[in-house]
Amino acid sequence: MDDTPLAAAHAAYQAGDFDGASSHARAFLQSTPAHEAALTLLALSEHAAGRYVSAADAFRQLTAIRPQVPDYWSNLGYMLRLTGRQQEAEAAFLEALRIAPRAYGALLNYGLLLMDMSRFGAARHRFLDAVEADPSQAEARIYAASACFECGDIVRAERLLPPPGEWHALDAEARHDLGMALMRVGRTTEAERLLESGQGDSDDPDVLAKLALLYERTNRLGLAQALFDRLHARLDGIGLESQADALTVGSILAMRRKDYDEARTLTEQLLSLDPAPTARANALYTLAAIADKQSRPDETMRLLAEAHAIHMALAREMMPEISQPGWQPLPVVKERMTPGQALFVDRPHPAGIATPVFIVGFPRSGTTMLENMLDAHPGFVSMDEQPFLDRCVELVKRAGFNYPHQIGEPSDRDMEALRADYWQSVSRVAKVGPGQTLVDKNPLNILRLPLIRRMFPDARIILALRHPCDVILSCYMQDFRSPMFRVLCSNLETLAQGYVDMMRFWIDHQALLQAEVLDLRYEETVGDFDRQVGRIAEFLGIADRHHLAEFSEAARRKGYIGTPSYSQVIEPVNTKAVARWERYRPWFEPVLPILKPIADHWGYSLSLE
């Protein structure tokens, strides 16, 4: 047998002449069509040349020759993924993992395929398996973090991200993905530094698009617009991912300068790219927001229904249990403490407990505005929305105590340890200096009142209130990241019932626990701002209250604000969002009876004003 073509193929491949390597390998295979080394060299050469279909054909022949080699199945899956043959690719990855369940490469690339298919729950499991198989690989931790973020698991996402000492070894694609992951968890300074340092070619469209998204997210609109203009001028000549990112940021910028026609044009152009379901849903939410601004309620609700249908399909993949009859996204809302379980409120309080100020309320009730009012004051430090009280509830449950019924049973020492864990979590995201008070703003902490009362007996709590229909409309129009909250907001009836259940939990437990609470209505805050600033200052003992009144400018300087209303809190206080729901009364009529008891409790009218 003449080995000259095979040797020539090896030499060409080593020299980077992939066309030549393929040609020599094919010549050799004409006489020995099942030669394993020649087929491998052909597959690698075709892949390096970007000819993924023929590379897949070569790897498929290798799986026929050596079906028990997992790498051949994994490489076949990878090539099929690159050619868009997703079902065949999945079958190949599954076969590779049947043979070698802990094969790092197969786990990683199968996870990437699942991300392409918007099966984020399954992708998260595969990436976490890859991290377990080889913890030294930063790439797996980046992708696992991205999948966790898509699943609403923000805490785990941040913990998975590799430390800065490992960033220098990442390739360009991994650096870009890490930059986006850092941005998503609020580490925008590091994200910006990483993207800019890895730019190399200052005209790289992928980097420019991601930097534009980052600049917009941190309210540097001029920089974002400049980058978008550069990208838009050559949109057809860049990759689909960069096109999608550019069109997304362009649409957001147009919305922020109230050019709704331009925003619509750019968003429709994005949809014409046939984006993945998540990106499609995001675009539909944007079009719905544009239709709302242009007073087109029928179109708004049609677009929202389509977006929610996509999110429900994604949520079912992440949380199959939601399809079961009677599934409750927030089961704790049905629980009630008895007077006998609340006796701890009368016990002597331990002295010297560092205590945050808590801001709670149903989402979209104005909690971010209140947080930024306090954060503008030098005596307060906020940390955006963090799930640290959720973690404390889980620790209580792990210790064998039911929440909320048995929250009074852990010992004072147990509670001291719980507070220590809470403050350790806080220290990772916020620096609270001497004389400063932490602001813990998380709307869903409205369900943690028993825990707050037990952990921090003297805590002061601001309850953000807003007209129930305006709250529900705003939530329905919002793209929430949490799968659980996407389910809760999937239709107006479910959302209205969730609102009522959550408010009943608060009302019943506040009557029992008698925490120090200031009720603050959104309508009164935006309608008589100075008076409400005075009420907040008096409640918290703030002497120099002018900082609170200047919060919008402080929020603009702050840069990153980790909630959906980040672009609204930098604007002067206004009443534009008050009574917005009345344009949507026909859609609200069926849910008004659900809302009436809570609306009556808070004194909100459901009649036409």
Side-chain angles (χ1 to χ4, degrees), residues 124-155:
R124 175 177 58 172
H125 289 305
R126 298 295 76 77
F127 288 138
L128 291 174
D129 288 344
V131 171
E132 184 178 341
D134 190 348
S136 68
Q137 296 291 336
E139 187 178 28
R141 301 207 300 278
I142 293 169
Y143 291 133
S146 296
C148 285
F149 183 85
E150 293 291 347
C151 295
D153 189 356
I154 310 302
V155 173

Short mmCIF file of all heavy atoms in Angstrom, two decimals, residues 124-155:
data_model
loop_
_atom_site.label_atom_id
_atom_site.label_comp_id
_atom_site.label_asym_id
_atom_site.label_seq_id
_atom_site.Cartn_x
_atom_site.Cartn_y
_atom_site.Cartn_z
N ARG A 124 -28.52 23.28 31.28
CA ARG A 124 -27.91 23.54 32.59
C ARG A 124 -27.38 22.25 33.20
O ARG A 124 -26.25 22.21 33.71
CB ARG A 124 -28.93 24.20 33.51
CG ARG A 124 -28.42 24.40 34.93
CD ARG A 124 -29.42 25.12 35.81
NE ARG A 124 -30.69 24.42 35.89
CZ ARG A 124 -31.68 24.75 36.71
NH1 ARG A 124 -31.54 25.80 37.50
NH2 ARG A 124 -32.80 24.07 36.73
N HIS A 125 -28.17 21.18 33.13
CA HIS A 125 -27.72 19.91 33.72
C HIS A 125 -26.47 19.39 33.03
O HIS A 125 -25.54 18.91 33.69
CB HIS A 125 -28.84 18.87 33.62
CG HIS A 125 -30.00 19.14 34.54
ND1 HIS A 125 -29.85 19.31 35.90
CD2 HIS A 125 -31.32 19.29 34.29
CE1 HIS A 125 -31.03 19.53 36.46
NE2 HIS A 125 -31.94 19.53 35.50
N ARG A 126 -26.44 19.49 31.70
CA ARG A 126 -25.27 18.96 30.99
C ARG A 126 -24.02 19.80 31.29
O ARG A 126 -22.93 19.26 31.47
CB ARG A 126 -25.54 18.95 29.49
CG ARG A 126 -26.69 18.05 29.06
CD ARG A 126 -26.44 16.56 29.32
NE ARG A 126 -26.57 16.18 30.72
CZ ARG A 126 -27.74 16.02 31.35
NH1 ARG A 126 -28.88 16.22 30.72
NH2 ARG A 126 -27.76 15.65 32.62
N PHE A 127 -24.17 21.12 31.35
CA PHE A 127 -23.01 21.96 31.67
C PHE A 127 -22.53 21.71 33.09
O PHE A 127 -21.31 21.67 33.35
CB PHE A 127 -23.35 23.43 31.48
CG PHE A 127 -23.50 23.87 30.05
CD1 PHE A 127 -24.54 24.71 29.67
CD2 PHE A 127 -22.62 23.44 29.08
CE1 PHE A 127 -24.69 25.12 28.37
CE2 PHE A 127 -22.75 23.85 27.76
CZ PHE A 127 -23.80 24.69 27.40
N LEU A 128 -23.45 21.55 34.02
CA LEU A 128 -23.05 21.26 35.40
C LEU A 128 -22.36 19.91 35.48
O LEU A 128 -21.41 19.73 36.25
CB LEU A 128 -24.26 21.31 36.33
CG LEU A 128 -24.86 22.71 36.54
CD1 LEU A 128 -26.14 22.62 37.35
CD2 LEU A 128 -23.87 23.64 37.24
N ASP A 129 -22.82 18.93 34.67
CA ASP A 129 -22.13 17.64 34.60
C ASP A 129 -20.72 17.83 34.06
O ASP A 129 -19.76 17.18 34.52
CB ASP A 129 -22.90 16.68 33.70
CG ASP A 129 -24.20 16.19 34.33
OD1 ASP A 129 -24.37 16.33 35.56
OD2 ASP A 129 -25.06 15.67 33.57
N ALA A 130 -20.56 18.71 33.06
CA ALA A 130 -19.24 18.96 32.49
C ALA A 130 -18.33 19.61 33.53
O ALA A 130 -17.14 19.28 33.61
CB ALA A 130 -19.36 19.85 31.25
N VAL A 131 -18.87 20.53 34.31
CA VAL A 131 -18.07 21.16 35.38
C VAL A 131 -17.62 20.11 36.38
O VAL A 131 -16.47 20.11 36.83
CB VAL A 131 -18.89 22.26 36.07
CG1 VAL A 131 -18.16 22.78 37.32
CG2 VAL A 131 -19.17 23.42 35.11
N GLU A 132 -18.51 19.20 36.73
CA GLU A 132 -18.17 18.14 37.67
C GLU A 132 -17.12 17.19 37.07
O GLU A 132 -16.21 16.72 37.75
CB GLU A 132 -19.42 17.36 38.05
CG GLU A 132 -19.17 16.29 39.11
CD GLU A 132 -20.44 15.57 39.51
OE1 GLU A 132 -21.54 16.10 39.25
OE2 GLU A 132 -20.34 14.46 40.08
N ALA A 133 -17.25 16.93 35.76
CA ALA A 133 -16.31 16.01 35.10
C ALA A 133 -14.91 16.61 35.05
O ALA A 133 -13.91 15.88 35.18
CB ALA A 133 -16.80 15.69 33.70
N ASP A 134 -14.81 17.93 34.85
CA ASP A 134 -13.50 18.58 34.79
C ASP A 134 -13.62 20.00 35.35
O ASP A 134 -13.82 20.95 34.60
CB ASP A 134 -12.97 18.62 33.36
CG ASP A 134 -11.51 19.06 33.30
OD1 ASP A 134 -10.99 19.54 34.33
OD2 ASP A 134 -10.89 18.92 32.23
N PRO A 135 -13.49 20.14 36.67
CA PRO A 135 -13.67 21.46 37.30
C PRO A 135 -12.65 22.51 36.86
O PRO A 135 -12.87 23.70 37.08
CB PRO A 135 -13.53 21.16 38.80
CG PRO A 135 -13.76 19.69 38.93
CD PRO A 135 -13.26 19.09 37.65
N SER A 136 -11.55 22.07 36.24
CA SER A 136 -10.52 23.03 35.85
C SER A 136 -10.87 23.81 34.59
O SER A 136 -10.20 24.80 34.27
CB SER A 136 -9.19 22.29 35.62
OG SER A 136 -9.27 21.46 34.46
N GLN A 137 -11.92 23.40 33.89
CA GLN A 137 -12.25 24.02 32.62
C GLN A 137 -13.14 25.25 32.83
O GLN A 137 -14.31 25.13 33.19
CB GLN A 137 -12.97 23.02 31.71
CG GLN A 137 -12.10 21.83 31.31
CD GLN A 137 -10.99 22.23 30.36
OE1 GLN A 137 -11.08 23.24 29.66
NE2 GLN A 137 -9.92 21.47 30.36
N ALA A 138 -12.57 26.42 32.58
CA ALA A 138 -13.34 27.67 32.75
C ALA A 138 -14.49 27.76 31.77
O ALA A 138 -15.55 28.31 32.08
CB ALA A 138 -12.41 28.87 32.59
N GLU A 139 -14.31 27.21 30.57
CA GLU A 139 -15.32 27.32 29.53
C GLU A 139 -16.64 26.69 29.99
O GLU A 139 -17.71 27.27 29.80
CB GLU A 139 -14.82 26.63 28.26
CG GLU A 139 -15.72 26.84 27.05
CD GLU A 139 -15.15 26.19 25.80
OE1 GLU A 139 -14.41 25.19 25.93
OE2 GLU A 139 -15.45 26.67 24.70
N ALA A 140 -16.56 25.53 30.63
CA ALA A 140 -17.78 24.86 31.08
C ALA A 140 -18.49 25.69 32.14
O ALA A 140 -19.73 25.76 32.17
CB ALA A 140 -17.44 23.48 31.64
N ARG A 141 -17.72 26.34 33.02
CA ARG A 141 -18.35 27.15 34.07
C ARG A 141 -19.04 28.37 33.48
O ARG A 141 -20.09 28.79 33.95
CB ARG A 141 -17.30 27.55 35.11
CG ARG A 141 -16.64 26.35 35.77
CD ARG A 141 -16.14 26.63 37.15
NE ARG A 141 -15.16 27.68 37.22
CZ ARG A 141 -13.85 27.52 36.96
NH1 ARG A 141 -13.41 26.34 36.57
NH2 ARG A 141 -13.01 28.52 37.07
N ILE A 142 -18.46 28.94 32.42
CA ILE A 142 -19.09 30.10 31.76
C ILE A 142 -20.43 29.69 31.16
O ILE A 142 -21.45 30.36 31.35
CB ILE A 142 -18.16 30.67 30.69
CG1 ILE A 142 -16.91 31.29 31.33
CG2 ILE A 142 -18.89 31.73 29.85
CD1 ILE A 142 -15.82 31.64 30.34
N TYR A 143 -20.43 28.58 30.41
CA TYR A 143 -21.67 28.15 29.79
C TYR A 143 -22.69 27.70 30.83
O TYR A 143 -23.90 27.93 30.67
CB TYR A 143 -21.40 27.01 28.80
CG TYR A 143 -20.63 27.46 27.57
CD1 TYR A 143 -19.54 26.74 27.10
CD2 TYR A 143 -21.00 28.61 26.89
CE1 TYR A 143 -18.84 27.14 25.98
CE2 TYR A 143 -20.30 29.03 25.76
CZ TYR A 143 -19.22 28.29 25.32
OH TYR A 143 -18.53 28.70 24.20
N ALA A 144 -22.22 27.06 31.90
CA ALA A 144 -23.15 26.66 32.96
C ALA A 144 -23.78 27.89 33.61
O ALA A 144 -24.98 27.90 33.91
CB ALA A 144 -22.41 25.82 34.01
N ALA A 145 -22.97 28.93 33.79
CA ALA A 145 -23.51 30.17 34.36
C ALA A 145 -24.57 30.78 33.44
O ALA A 145 -25.61 31.26 33.91
CB ALA A 145 -22.38 31.17 34.60
N SER A 146 -24.30 30.78 32.14
CA SER A 146 -25.27 31.33 31.18
C SER A 146 -26.58 30.56 31.23
O SER A 146 -27.67 31.14 31.20
CB SER A 146 -24.69 31.30 29.77
OG SER A 146 -23.55 32.14 29.67
N ALA A 147 -26.49 29.22 31.30
CA ALA A 147 -27.70 28.40 31.36
C ALA A 147 -28.45 28.63 32.67
O ALA A 147 -29.69 28.70 32.68
CB ALA A 147 -27.34 26.93 31.20
N CYS A 148 -27.72 28.75 33.77
CA CYS A 148 -28.37 29.04 35.06
C CYS A 148 -29.08 30.38 35.01
O CYS A 148 -30.18 30.54 35.55
CB CYS A 148 -27.33 29.02 36.18
SG CYS A 148 -26.78 27.36 36.64
N PHE A 149 -28.47 31.36 34.37
CA PHE A 149 -29.11 32.66 34.26
C PHE A 149 -30.41 32.54 33.48
O PHE A 149 -31.43 33.11 33.86
CB PHE A 149 -28.17 33.65 33.58
CG PHE A 149 -28.75 35.04 33.49
CD1 PHE A 149 -28.62 35.93 34.53
CD2 PHE A 149 -29.44 35.45 32.35
CE1 PHE A 149 -29.17 37.20 34.46
CE2 PHE A 149 -29.99 36.71 32.27
CZ PHE A 149 -29.84 37.59 33.33
N GLU A 150 -30.40 31.79 32.38
CA GLU A 150 -31.61 31.62 31.59
C GLU A 150 -32.71 30.93 32.41
O GLU A 150 -33.89 31.16 32.18
CB GLU A 150 -31.33 30.79 30.33
CG GLU A 150 -30.44 31.48 29.31
CD GLU A 150 -31.11 32.67 28.64
OE1 GLU A 150 -32.34 32.82 28.77
OE2 GLU A 150 -30.40 33.45 27.98
N CYS A 151 -32.30 30.11 33.38
CA CYS A 151 -33.26 29.40 34.23
C CYS A 151 -33.64 30.21 35.47
O CYS A 151 -34.36 29.70 36.33
CB CYS A 151 -32.69 28.05 34.65
SG CYS A 151 -32.45 26.90 33.28
N GLY A 152 -33.14 31.44 35.58
CA GLY A 152 -33.48 32.27 36.71
C GLY A 152 -32.66 31.99 37.95
O GLY A 152 -32.95 32.54 39.03
N ASP A 153 -31.64 31.15 37.86
CA ASP A 153 -30.82 30.79 39.01
C ASP A 153 -29.61 31.72 39.05
O ASP A 153 -28.48 31.33 38.74
CB ASP A 153 -30.39 29.32 38.90
CG ASP A 153 -29.72 28.80 40.16
OD1 ASP A 153 -29.51 29.60 41.09
OD2 ASP A 153 -29.40 27.60 40.20
N ILE A 154 -29.84 32.97 39.46
CA ILE A 154 -28.81 34.00 39.37
C ILE A 154 -27.68 33.75 40.36
O ILE A 154 -26.50 33.98 40.04
CB ILE A 154 -29.42 35.40 39.62
CG1 ILE A 154 -30.66 35.60 38.75
CG2 ILE A 154 -28.39 36.48 39.34
CD1 ILE A 154 -30.43 35.47 37.29
N VAL A 155 -28.01 33.29 41.56
CA VAL A 155 -26.98 33.08 42.58
C VAL A 155 -25.98 32.03 42.12
O VAL A 155 -24.76 32.24 42.18
CB VAL A 155 -27.63 32.66 43.92
CG1 VAL A 155 -26.57 32.27 44.94
CG2 VAL A 155 -28.48 33.80 44.47
#
